[in-house]
Amino acid sequence: MKVRLVKKILEANDRIAENNRKKLADAGVYTMNLMSAPGAGKTTLLQRTIKALDGRIRFGVIEGDIQGTHDAEVISALNVPVIQINTEGACHLDANMISDILPEMPLNAIDILVIENVGNLVCPAEFDVGEEIKVMLFSITGGEDKPLKYPLMFQKSEVLILNKIDLAPYLDVDMEKIKADAIALNPGLRIFEISCKSGQGLDAWVAWLEDKVKVSA
Ligand SMILES: Nc1nc2c(ncn2[C@@H]2O[C@H](COP(=O)(O)OP(=O)(O)OP(=O)(O)O)[C@@H](O)[C@H]2O)c(=O)[nH]1
Ligand SMILES: [Mg+2]
């Protein structure tokens, strides 16, 4: 009984997600679902990416958080259209939440919509919100055991960004194991290694993203 109920919820979600995807594609908007555990650096990465592509790609952002407007304020300061969704307890965004606020996003004035999901290493990966690409950010401070303990997000994402590599000298983390286990879970995974603090590795990520958005336009 319980299994059937969960299946039904996911099926309903998938139908709404498909509808979102169509609306976004019709408007020529490339949509990214950006996911990670809390504090891995999603908002910081967004800030740096938006600044790096200023004048080249027009961003719109949806900020998903359980409560508060902190991240939306940070992004709004960059003069980018941003909508904050407060899930009031839910640990992920779903397609219905996106569908509700999509009319408020000026789709004709943006090239890419980034949906910063609620910080959580599990649930966001279960819910399609209508994105074209799922990107996972992982802070290496989380430890090398995480791909095998929390496999779903690694499996569902097309891109894995390993962040906070500036901290590697102070940690006992095995970066090669993180990468090997992630690739074993998802052989097609594209991996970037970056530091949003020092800027190391950001150029490759930004160039890749610019290309993706231009190709999809
Ligand atoms: N040392 C270091 N700190 C970083 C890096 N990237 C982000 N941080 C810091 O990590 C903390 C969390 O960053 P956020 O960008 O807020 O992370 P988030 O994933 O958006 O967090 P939630 O939205 O709460 O899930 C902040 O104090 C950032 O300054 C990095 O590459 N290196
Ligand atoms: Mg954030």
Side-chain angles (χ1 to χ4, degrees):
M1 231 6 221
K2 201 174 167 192
V3 172
R4 276 175 57 197
L5 180 61
V6 169
K7 193 164 171 247
K8 264 191 175 167
I9 292 170
L10 286 175
E11 280 170 4
N13 184 77
D14 284 352
R15 275 196 298 277
I16 302 167
E18 238 5 277
N19 200 29
N20 291 346
R21 192 158 16 251
K22 183 168 183 328
K23 268 191 202 150
L24 290 158
D26 287 350
V29 173
Y30 185 73
T31 303
M32 176 192 300
N33 185 355
L34 181 60
M35 307 179 291
S36 81
K42 298 180 293 302
T43 308
T44 313
L45 175 68
L46 255 173
Q47 275 178 290
R48 294 208 62 148
T49 306
I50 290 169
K51 282 184 193 162
L53 288 168
D54 186 32
R56 310 220 295 270
I57 286 181
R58 299 166 303 167
F59 280 79
V61 175
I62 294 174
E63 286 292 347
D65 284 289
I66 289 176
Q67 65 177 49
T69 56
H70 175 272
D71 288 358
E73 285 164 30
V74 167
I75 299 300
S76 184
L78 302 173
N79 290 320
V80 163
V82 55
I83 298 171
Q84 176 83 54
I85 296 177
N86 281 155
T87 62
E88 295 178 341
C91 54
H92 59 271
L93 294 173
D94 64 32
N96 207 28
M97 297 175 193
I98 302 301
S99 155
D100 276 352
I101 54 91
L102 217 44
E104 293 166 44
M105 182 55 69
L107 297 182
N108 292 332
I110 63 173
D111 304 305
I112 179 169
L113 175 63
V114 181
I115 301 171
E116 182 184 335
N117 219 310
V118 178
N120 181 315
L121 198 47
V122 183
C123 312
E126 292 172 10
F127 286 80
D128 184 355
V129 294
E131 70 277 353
E132 201 162 326
I133 188 170
K134 283 181 164 71
V135 173
M136 174 180 187
L137 191 59
F138 181 74
S139 167
I140 62 164
T141 55
E144 68 274 346
D145 54 341
K146 296 305 175 287
L148 296 185
K149 284 167 82 173
Y150 301 91
L152 189 67
M153 198 174 284
F154 292 89
Q155 287 166 322
K156 290 247 182 152
S157 300
E158 201 173 304
V159 173
L160 170 65
I161 306 176
L162 299 177
N163 189 30
K164 307 198 186 183
I165 59 170
D166 58 288
L167 297 177
Y170 312 103
L171 304 168
D172 282 330
V173 66
D174 183 346
M175 293 262 294
E176 293 311 312
K177 179 168 167 53
I178 296 178
K179 288 189 275 182
D181 286 348
I183 291 287
L185 288 166
N186 181 356
L189 194 62
R190 169 121 202 177
I191 301 180
F192 292 94
E193 295 172 42
I194 67 162
S195 165
C196 287
K197 189 178 170 79
S198 72
Q200 193 184 341
L202 276 172
D203 285 353
W205 154 251
V206 166
W208 178 87
L209 181 63
E210 183 174 19
D211 215 45
K212 267 275 184 195
V213 175
K214 292 205 162 139
V215 165
S216 85

